[in-house]
mmCIF file of all heavy atoms in Angstrom:
data_model
loop_
_atom_site.group_PDB
_atom_site.id
_atom_site.type_symbol
_atom_site.label_atom_id
_atom_site.label_comp_id
_atom_site.label_asym_id
_atom_site.label_seq_id
_atom_site.Cartn_x
_atom_site.Cartn_y
_atom_site.Cartn_z
ATOM 1 N N ARG A 42 13.057 -6.572 9.512
ATOM 2 C CA ARG A 42 14.183 -5.923 10.216
ATOM 3 C C ARG A 42 14.379 -4.504 9.710
ATOM 4 O O ARG A 42 15.069 -4.247 8.733
ATOM 5 C CB ARG A 42 15.465 -6.744 10.000
ATOM 6 C CG ARG A 42 16.714 -6.145 10.589
ATOM 7 C CD ARG A 42 16.731 -6.147 12.093
ATOM 8 N NE ARG A 42 16.768 -7.503 12.643
ATOM 9 C CZ ARG A 42 16.469 -7.770 13.923
ATOM 10 N NH1 ARG A 42 16.141 -6.814 14.762
ATOM 11 N NH2 ARG A 42 16.523 -9.023 14.350
ATOM 12 N N PHE A 52 6.868 -5.891 25.327
ATOM 13 C CA PHE A 52 8.126 -5.367 24.825
ATOM 14 C C PHE A 52 9.261 -6.218 25.377
ATOM 15 O O PHE A 52 9.299 -6.488 26.582
ATOM 16 C CB PHE A 52 8.336 -3.905 25.240
ATOM 17 C CG PHE A 52 9.696 -3.423 24.807
ATOM 18 C CD1 PHE A 52 9.909 -3.019 23.502
ATOM 19 C CD2 PHE A 52 10.775 -3.457 25.681
ATOM 20 C CE1 PHE A 52 11.172 -2.644 23.072
ATOM 21 C CE2 PHE A 52 12.042 -3.088 25.254
ATOM 22 C CZ PHE A 52 12.241 -2.678 23.954
ATOM 23 N N GLN A 60 9.631 -12.721 22.088
ATOM 24 C CA GLN A 60 10.275 -11.408 22.151
ATOM 25 C C GLN A 60 9.444 -10.365 21.381
ATOM 26 O O GLN A 60 9.085 -10.579 20.228
ATOM 27 C CB GLN A 60 11.681 -11.544 21.545
ATOM 28 C CG GLN A 60 12.316 -10.277 21.022
ATOM 29 C CD GLN A 60 13.387 -9.726 21.951
ATOM 30 O OE1 GLN A 60 13.377 -9.994 23.150
ATOM 31 N NE2 GLN A 60 14.302 -8.966 21.408
ATOM 32 N N HIS A 61 9.144 -9.255 22.047
ATOM 33 C CA HIS A 61 8.397 -8.122 21.484
ATOM 34 C C HIS A 61 6.939 -8.439 21.109
ATOM 35 O O HIS A 61 6.302 -7.671 20.380
ATOM 36 C CB HIS A 61 9.112 -7.534 20.254
ATOM 37 C CG HIS A 61 10.414 -6.855 20.590
ATOM 38 N ND1 HIS A 61 10.680 -6.281 21.806
ATOM 39 C CD2 HIS A 61 11.548 -6.654 19.849
ATOM 40 C CE1 HIS A 61 11.895 -5.754 21.813
ATOM 41 N NE2 HIS A 61 12.459 -5.983 20.645
ATOM 42 N N ARG A 65 3.816 -7.806 15.607
ATOM 43 C CA ARG A 65 4.705 -7.556 14.468
ATOM 44 C C ARG A 65 4.804 -8.758 13.528
ATOM 45 O O ARG A 65 5.430 -8.664 12.471
ATOM 46 C CB ARG A 65 6.094 -7.138 14.952
ATOM 47 C CG ARG A 65 6.840 -8.192 15.747
ATOM 48 C CD ARG A 65 8.238 -7.709 16.144
ATOM 49 N NE ARG A 65 8.996 -8.747 16.848
ATOM 50 C CZ ARG A 65 10.303 -8.716 16.998
ATOM 51 N NH1 ARG A 65 11.018 -7.731 16.505
ATOM 52 N NH2 ARG A 65 10.921 -9.681 17.656
ATOM 53 N N HIS A 143 8.982 0.524 17.452
ATOM 54 C CA HIS A 143 10.410 0.178 17.433
ATOM 55 C C HIS A 143 11.088 0.826 16.212
ATOM 56 O O HIS A 143 11.567 0.129 15.307
ATOM 57 C CB HIS A 143 10.503 -1.351 17.369
ATOM 58 C CG HIS A 143 11.823 -1.936 17.689
ATOM 59 N ND1 HIS A 143 12.985 -1.530 17.077
ATOM 60 C CD2 HIS A 143 12.181 -2.923 18.545
ATOM 61 C CE1 HIS A 143 13.990 -2.250 17.553
ATOM 62 N NE2 HIS A 143 13.520 -3.095 18.447
ATOM 63 N N TYR A 145 13.370 2.336 13.449
ATOM 64 C CA TYR A 145 14.756 2.282 12.980
ATOM 65 C C TYR A 145 15.016 3.539 12.133
ATOM 66 O O TYR A 145 14.535 3.626 10.995
ATOM 67 C CB TYR A 145 14.996 1.067 12.079
ATOM 68 C CG TYR A 145 15.050 -0.284 12.758
ATOM 69 C CD1 TYR A 145 13.895 -0.911 13.225
ATOM 70 C CD2 TYR A 145 16.261 -0.975 12.887
ATOM 71 C CE1 TYR A 145 13.944 -2.176 13.813
ATOM 72 C CE2 TYR A 145 16.320 -2.241 13.473
ATOM 73 C CZ TYR A 145 15.157 -2.828 13.933
ATOM 74 O OH TYR A 145 15.209 -4.083 14.500
ATOM 75 N N ASN A 167 19.351 -2.847 29.467
ATOM 76 C CA ASN A 167 19.047 -4.209 29.006
ATOM 77 C C ASN A 167 20.295 -5.070 28.935
ATOM 78 O O ASN A 167 20.202 -6.298 28.911
ATOM 79 C CB ASN A 167 18.404 -4.159 27.623
ATOM 80 C CG ASN A 167 16.899 -4.287 27.696
ATOM 81 O OD1 ASN A 167 16.359 -4.943 28.594
ATOM 82 N ND2 ASN A 167 16.205 -3.660 26.759
ATOM 83 N N ASP A 188 21.649 -0.599 24.639
ATOM 84 C CA ASP A 188 20.299 -1.154 24.732
ATOM 85 C C ASP A 188 19.701 -0.697 26.062
ATOM 86 O O ASP A 188 19.822 -1.368 27.074
ATOM 87 C CB ASP A 188 20.379 -2.689 24.640
ATOM 88 C CG ASP A 188 19.012 -3.342 24.464
ATOM 89 O OD1 ASP A 188 17.995 -2.615 24.559
ATOM 90 O OD2 ASP A 188 18.964 -4.567 24.261
ATOM 91 N N VAL A 220 13.209 3.669 24.284
ATOM 92 C CA VAL A 220 14.285 2.680 24.214
ATOM 93 C C VAL A 220 15.290 3.155 23.161
ATOM 94 O O VAL A 220 14.886 3.638 22.092
ATOM 95 C CB VAL A 220 13.730 1.296 23.819
ATOM 96 C CG1 VAL A 220 14.837 0.248 23.808
ATOM 97 C CG2 VAL A 220 12.607 0.883 24.772
ATOM 98 N N TRP A 222 18.556 1.745 21.009
ATOM 99 C CA TRP A 222 19.239 0.469 20.699
ATOM 100 C C TRP A 222 20.114 0.594 19.465
ATOM 101 O O TRP A 222 19.679 1.098 18.428
ATOM 102 C CB TRP A 222 18.200 -0.630 20.460
ATOM 103 C CG TRP A 222 18.789 -1.974 20.121
ATOM 104 C CD1 TRP A 222 19.606 -2.722 20.910
ATOM 105 C CD2 TRP A 222 18.599 -2.734 18.910
ATOM 106 N NE1 TRP A 222 19.930 -3.902 20.267
ATOM 107 C CE2 TRP A 222 19.322 -3.932 19.043
ATOM 108 C CE3 TRP A 222 17.873 -2.509 17.743
ATOM 109 C CZ2 TRP A 222 19.354 -4.903 18.040
ATOM 110 C CZ3 TRP A 222 17.905 -3.483 16.740
ATOM 111 C CH2 TRP A 222 18.636 -4.667 16.908
ATOM 112 N N LYS A 228 27.000 -8.081 17.860
ATOM 113 C CA LYS A 228 25.618 -8.545 17.779
ATOM 114 C C LYS A 228 25.115 -8.496 16.321
ATOM 115 O O LYS A 228 24.342 -9.350 15.897
ATOM 116 C CB LYS A 228 24.732 -7.722 18.701
ATOM 117 C CG LYS A 228 23.502 -8.481 19.143
ATOM 118 C CD LYS A 228 22.895 -7.943 20.427
ATOM 119 C CE LYS A 228 23.404 -8.657 21.674
ATOM 120 N NZ LYS A 228 22.827 -8.116 22.907
ATOM 121 N N MET A 232 23.170 -11.583 13.947
ATOM 122 C CA MET A 232 21.776 -11.481 13.499
ATOM 123 C C MET A 232 21.677 -11.874 12.028
ATOM 124 O O MET A 232 22.242 -11.206 11.160
ATOM 125 C CB MET A 232 21.259 -10.036 13.700
ATOM 126 C CG MET A 232 21.014 -9.703 15.162
ATOM 127 S SD MET A 232 21.011 -7.933 15.555
ATOM 128 C CE MET A 232 19.957 -7.275 14.338
ATOM 129 N N CYS A 245 17.915 2.796 16.610
ATOM 130 C CA CYS A 245 16.530 2.667 17.059
ATOM 131 C C CYS A 245 16.306 3.588 18.257
ATOM 132 O O CYS A 245 17.052 3.520 19.242
ATOM 133 C CB CYS A 245 16.211 1.230 17.473
ATOM 134 S SG CYS A 245 16.077 0.121 16.076
ATOM 135 N N GLU A 247 12.871 4.319 20.369
ATOM 136 C CA GLU A 247 11.560 3.672 20.370
ATOM 137 C C GLU A 247 10.652 4.261 21.445
ATOM 138 O O GLU A 247 10.918 4.098 22.636
ATOM 139 C CB GLU A 247 11.751 2.175 20.622
ATOM 140 C CG GLU A 247 12.843 1.553 19.760
ATOM 141 C CD GLU A 247 13.330 0.204 20.279
ATOM 142 O OE1 GLU A 247 12.577 -0.502 20.954
ATOM 143 O OE2 GLU A 247 14.499 -0.129 20.006
HETATM 144 O O1 G6P B 301 15.858 -8.758 17.232
HETATM 145 P P1 G6P B 301 14.579 -8.161 17.745
HETATM 146 O O2 G6P B 301 13.703 -9.161 18.430
HETATM 147 O O3 G6P B 301 13.841 -7.394 16.687
HETATM 148 O O4 G6P B 301 14.992 -7.105 18.849
HETATM 149 C C1 G6P B 301 15.881 -6.082 18.582
HETATM 150 C C2 G6P B 301 16.119 -5.221 19.831
HETATM 151 O O5 G6P B 301 14.918 -4.598 20.171
HETATM 152 C C3 G6P B 301 14.939 -3.695 21.283
HETATM 153 O O6 G6P B 301 15.587 -2.510 20.977
HETATM 154 C C4 G6P B 301 15.497 -4.352 22.513
HETATM 155 O O7 G6P B 301 15.705 -3.413 23.550
HETATM 156 C C5 G6P B 301 16.762 -5.107 22.212
HETATM 157 O O8 G6P B 301 17.135 -5.866 23.356
HETATM 158 C C6 G6P B 301 16.608 -6.032 21.019
HETATM 159 O O9 G6P B 301 17.820 -6.687 20.744
#
Side-chain angles (χ1 to χ4, degrees):
R42 176 69 66 196
F52 175 80
Q60 157 104 336
H61 292 333
R65 64 178 183 162
H143 195 308
Y145 287 74
N167 261 329
D188 191 352
V220 183
W222 179 62
K228 206 158 267 179
M232 287 158 49
C245 287
E247 313 163 27

